Every structure is written in structure tokens, then in C-alpha cells.
Amino acid sequence: MGVITVSSLAKTFPGPVEALTDIDLQIEDGEFVTLIGRSGCGKSTLLNLIAGLLPPTRGTITLDGVVVSEPRRDVAMVFQQPALLPWRSVEANVLLPAEIMGLRGAGPRALELLEMTGLTAFRKKRPHELSGGMQQRVALCRALLPRPKVLLMDEPFSALDALTREELAVELQRIHLDLGTTIVFVTHSIQEAVLLADRVVVLTDRPGRIRSLVPIDIPRPRSFGHNAHLDEVAATAARLHDLLH
Amino acid sequence: MSRVALPALGAALTVALWWLLTVAFHIDPFYVPSPADVVQTFWRTPGFLLAETWVTLQRVLIGFALAVTGGLVVAVVLAASRTVERMTMPVLAAVNAVPKVALAPLLLVWMGFGDSPKIVLVVLVSFFPVVVATMAGLTSAPADLRKLVRSMKATWWQTFVKVRLPWALPQIFVGLKVATPLAIIGAVIGEVVSPDRGLGSVITGSSASSDTPLAFAALVLLALAGVALFYLVAAVERLVVPWA
């Protein structure tokens, strides 16, 4: 299970800066939700709150009915930067959570994940020998190693070039379909939001509130290539565009 | 090829320029001896000069080892606790600002002649660069990485050993490279102020007897020792930090 319930959540930083207010959101098990909004609207803050890295000012977040008050080992994170350890091989980077959490026999799981993301041939390489897209795949494998219930992704593709981004977006859909992990994905790209999400959460400018929840029923796998749903993708993107302006 | 050839060429050109200047301006060897005079002086008593070099080098190495060990420990403690850091940083900065040369005569009063005042001086001058560089390194791990290990609920020790310390290594080596020449300077100051043995004492003695070429021979040996130590640290760095 991986049900996230956010109720009457607000976060104010010292200053005071009101980052988020009146957030009510229910994310279902296995759902793929993207959070979209302009920069500074508090979407990353919301992700950090769900991760238990920040305490809420008001309101609560629960995961499977348990209040989130600190980080949990069944919630994994991927950031904009791959945040790999430069002295470790790809494989050793993927195994980092196993070492920290004391998981035994994670070796085969790591190889399986590397196989799934096409990195098997690179497993002995150091991160700097890999392209940005490959490094981010390694970060994804590392996050998935302990079989998390929830995967939190903070603009994971925004440092990559457009082609690699789309490639990874397609790959992430496949992985989500295979594993059924609940995914909360922060982005400022409308295309990415449409491509990936079961539901898009549109946030207002600061203080961030939920402006709209947009379900996306376009069949998967989605891509920007020629396919039967090109018009639907375009129409949904246009709608999100209007909601953000 | 160019990693050996270019530095060698640079050194050769420097010596050539030195030689040229002494010849071109007819400089009296009493003031500035030519490279030839210096080499000749060295070959007059090679055993003696090498033995004195070794004395100085031993003081440098012992002091440097103590400074590095102490510096690393202090930096780790300071990086671990903000309270301790805030409390001790002004004191450390103040102690660091004291000119170590000014301490040399005091050390002579407290410890007399022998190895200890020289080693203490080496520790004093090379300790702070190690502390400062290590602290900077220990706080340099990127924010995302720190967030990542926090999200995995890593313990302080796990974070330290698996992320912060290895991440700090390149910067620690910057500190070590700054500290090596300082260590030699510290030893020589100690030997000049309370001469007994070592190259610093040789320089003091040679000035007293107006033997400038001997002083220059000692200076050249010190410079060579400095270069050797620097490249030794750099070689260790390539072994320990191959990713940087």
C-alpha cells in the first residue's frame, strides 16, 4: 500500500514566508501524481513535507494511515541532481540504501534494476563516465532498491536535454506500470505532467494552494511521437497551460 | 611526458637565469653565489649537509604527522557540533593570527634546545590549514545528497563515513598541500631561533662565519625537500582520491 492523505496542510517558513496553505489531497495506492506550478509555488516544499524532511506548520500528512513525522524507509527520493557518490561504481551507488538500511541479499535486486534501466554494461563504471540521463537512471535504481511504497521525485529530469527527458519519461511510465509504486512527481513542465500523470495537481503562486486537480485518462504508454492520442495530449496540455496563467 | 619534462624544463630555466644574473652583473659570491659555487660547496661536505637535511626532515615529518592527526580530529569535532564550533572558532582564529615566529623565542624558554620546540613550531604552523580545509570539506557535500541520506534515515556515523568524509577528501588534500611548505618553514624558524642541528642551524652558523655559499646550499636542500614532500602528498592524493 502507499496511500497518502494530506489534510489542511500549511507550511510557513521563518520570515515569515507562507509557502503552502490549505492543501487537501488524497493520493491513491499506485497512483502517479504530478505536482505542477510556477517556481516558488511550494511544490518542492510539499514533496519534502510528504517525505518527512520538514515538519508541517499546520495540518497533517499520513501514509497508509500513519502520521508522517520523520523520514520513512519505505519512501524513496530522486532529485534534480543525481546526487551519486563519485567514488563509487554505478552498482555500489545503487546498493547504498541496502548498506544504510542493513538490507541483506540486495545484490540480485540491484542487478535486476540495472538490467531494467539498461545499465548492466555500465555497472562497474564511475558516475562521471556516464551521461546525465544515465546518471539519473542510476539514481532511480538506487531509489527503487529497497522496494519503496512511495517514490518522491523532485524535478528529476529538468537538468537533462529534451530528448533524454522524453526517453526517461517513457521509461518511467513503463517502470511505474511494472512496479505499481505510488509516485509523486514535481515538475514545471506541462508536457512532462501530461505525459506521466494519472492526475495533475496544479498549484497556485505563493502561498501555494491547490488550484485544480486534473485527471488524465489518455491511454499509456504516452509519448510525443505520432500516435492515436496526439490531439488529447495537446488539448490537456493547453488546459494546464491556461490553469497556470 | 610533459608531466615530467615541463617541470624539469622550468627548474632548469630558473637555475640558468640565476646563473646568468650572477655572471652578467658580476655579483660577488659573498652576496649571491652562482649555482656552481653552491654545488661546489655541497660537494665539500655532502655527508654533513645530508645528515642535517635528514634532521630537519625528521622534525618536519613528525610535526606534520601530529598536525594532520590533530587537525583532522579537531575538524571532525567542530564539524559535528555547531555549539562547539561557535565556541572554539574565535579562539582558533586568534591563535592562528599570532605570528608563529614570535612564539619561537618563547618555545626556547619553555623547552630549551633539542627537537621538541622545533616540532611544536611545525605543528603550530601546519595545524590550521588542515583544520580549515577539513572543515570546509566536511560541510561541502551537496544539499541533495544530505537530503538523500536523511530520507534513508542514515545514522550520523553512516552519513559521516559513507558520504561526508570521502566527499571531504579532495579538500583535505588541498589543506595538506598548503601545510607541507609551512611545516618546513616552521622547522627552519625553530632551528634558526634555537640552533642545534638541522638546515636552519646550518644557515645561522654560515651567516655567522660569512659562508654565503653554504647558506645557499642549505636553502637549495630545503627547497628540494619541500618539492619532494609536496609531490609525495600529491602522489598519495592520486591514490586515495582517484575520482577527483
Side-chain angles (χ1 to χ4, degrees), chain A:
Chain A
M1 288 287 280
V3 181
I4 302 164
T5 312
V6 180
S7 15
S8 335
L9 184 76
K11 179 69 189 176
T12 307
F13 289 106
V17 178
E18 215 182 349
L20 290 168
T21 187
D22 294 333
I23 305 284
D24 283 285
L25 181 65
Q26 165 104 9
I27 298 170
E28 300 305 331
D29 181 40
E31 195 179 9
F32 197 138
V33 167
T34 54
L35 300 177
I36 192 166
R38 302 218 226 169
S39 37
C41 75
K43 47 194 194 298
S44 292
T45 304
L46 181 51
L47 204 74
N48 288 332
L49 285 160
I50 296 173
L53 290 169
L54 286 174
T57 309
R58 284 188 307 279
T60 53
I61 297 168
T62 63
L63 172 54
D64 294 338
V66 180
V67 173
V68 176
S69 56
E70 58 172 352
R72 294 173 51 135
R73 285 184 165 174
D74 50 4
V75 175
M77 299 194 84
V78 177
F79 305 97
Q80 182 172 341
Q81 299 302 325
L84 301 173
L85 302 175
W87 54 90
R88 287 184 175 226
S89 69
V90 163
E91 191 174 3
N93 263 292
V94 172
L95 284 167
L96 178 73
E99 286 171 31
I100 287 180
M101 301 180 192
L103 309 174
R104 285 175 196 286
R109 167 82 173 157
L111 291 180
E112 199 179 295
L113 288 164
L114 290 171
E115 178 71 45
M116 185 173 78
T117 46
L119 288 170
T120 307
F122 300 93
R123 65 181 214 276
K124 297 287 175 213
K125 299 254 187 240
R126 291 246 170 83
H128 70 92
E129 297 173 276
L130 271 55
S131 70
M134 277 152 65
Q135 290 183 15
Q136 205 52 293
R137 284 191 180 94
V138 178
L140 182 62
C141 290
R142 178 181 60 192
L144 293 172
L145 185 85
R147 303 178 195 277
K149 288 179 185 172
V150 176
L151 183 57
L152 304 175
M153 307 182 83
D154 193 355
E155 306 199 18
F157 304 153
S158 57
L160 304 173
D161 65 273
L163 286 175
T164 311
R165 266 172 103 142
E166 202 190 325
E167 200 179 292
L168 279 179
V170 172
E171 208 167 306
L172 184 61
Q173 290 179 69
R174 183 171 54 74
I175 290 167
H176 176 238
L177 226 56
D178 282 357
L179 303 180
T181 314
T182 307
I183 300 183
V184 184
F185 187 109
V186 168
T187 180
H188 53 241
S189 154
I190 293 174
Q191 281 94 335
E192 225 162 60
V194 177
L195 205 60
L196 292 170
D198 295 319
R199 205 150 49 114
V200 180
V201 178
V202 183
L203 294 176
T204 63
D205 287 350
R206 195 154 59 203
R209 298 165 196 270
I210 294 179
R211 168 165 286 167
S212 183
L213 297 171
V214 182
I216 299 186
D217 306 320
I218 306 165
R220 293 180 188 275
R222 301 170 194 155
S223 77
F224 289 116
H226 282 286
N227 60 51
H229 317 290
L230 216 52
D231 292 342
E232 286 166 86
V233 171
T236 315
R239 191 173 153 213
L240 288 176
H241 188 267
D242 290 343
L243 283 168
L244 282 167
H245 286 81

Side-chain angles (χ1 to χ4, degrees), chain B residues 18-216:
Chain B
W18 167 15
W19 206 325
L20 193 71
L21 289 175
T22 53
V23 173
F25 295 102
H26 305 287
I27 297 174
D28 186 339
F30 177 75
Y31 296 109
V32 180
S34 76
D37 298 329
V38 173
V39 171
Q40 213 176 8
T41 307
F42 175 76
W43 283 117
R44 223 163 54 208
T45 51
F48 161 71
L49 279 170
L50 287 179
E52 297 311 304
T53 307
W54 178 233
V55 170
T56 303
L57 212 53
Q58 271 177 304
R59 290 167 173 167
V60 168
L61 290 175
I62 294 171
F64 189 64
L66 289 172
V68 170
T69 316
L72 288 176
V73 170
V74 167
V76 168
V77 171
L78 291 185
S81 159
R82 266 207 100 61
T83 320
V84 178
E85 187 203 326
R86 290 216 172 123
M87 229 167 72
T88 41
M89 223 33 196
V91 180
L92 281 178
V95 174
N96 191 27
V98 172
K100 309 303 178 299
V101 192
L103 288 179
L106 278 174
L107 290 172
L108 179 64
V109 172
W110 293 332
M111 300 177 181
F113 292 85
D115 287 331
S116 352
K118 286 86 174 177
I119 292 173
V120 169
L121 214 52
V122 172
V123 173
L124 282 175
V125 291
S126 49
F127 172 76
F128 293 99
V130 178
V131 173
V132 172
T134 307
M135 280 186 63
L138 286 175
T139 48
S140 72
D144 278 353
L145 202 52
R146 275 180 280 169
K147 226 154 103 177
L148 180 88
V149 288
R150 258 188 76 203
S151 79
M152 294 178 193
K153 297 186 78 170
T155 60
W156 184 89
W157 180 245
Q158 284 175 326
T159 310
F160 183 76
V161 173
K162 292 187 190 295
V163 178
R164 293 178 70 196
L165 188 61
W167 202 277
L169 281 176
Q171 264 158 297
I172 292 176
F173 273 96
V174 172
L176 295 187
K177 284 180 184 164
V178 172
T180 32
L182 288 177
I184 293 179
I185 292 171
V188 172
I189 292 172
E191 290 169 354
V192 167
V193 174
S194 61
D196 47 359
R197 293 204 57 193
L199 289 174
S201 314
V202 170
I203 293 170
T204 313
S206 63
S207 309
S209 59
S210 304
D211 191 351
T212 325
L214 181 62
F216 266 75

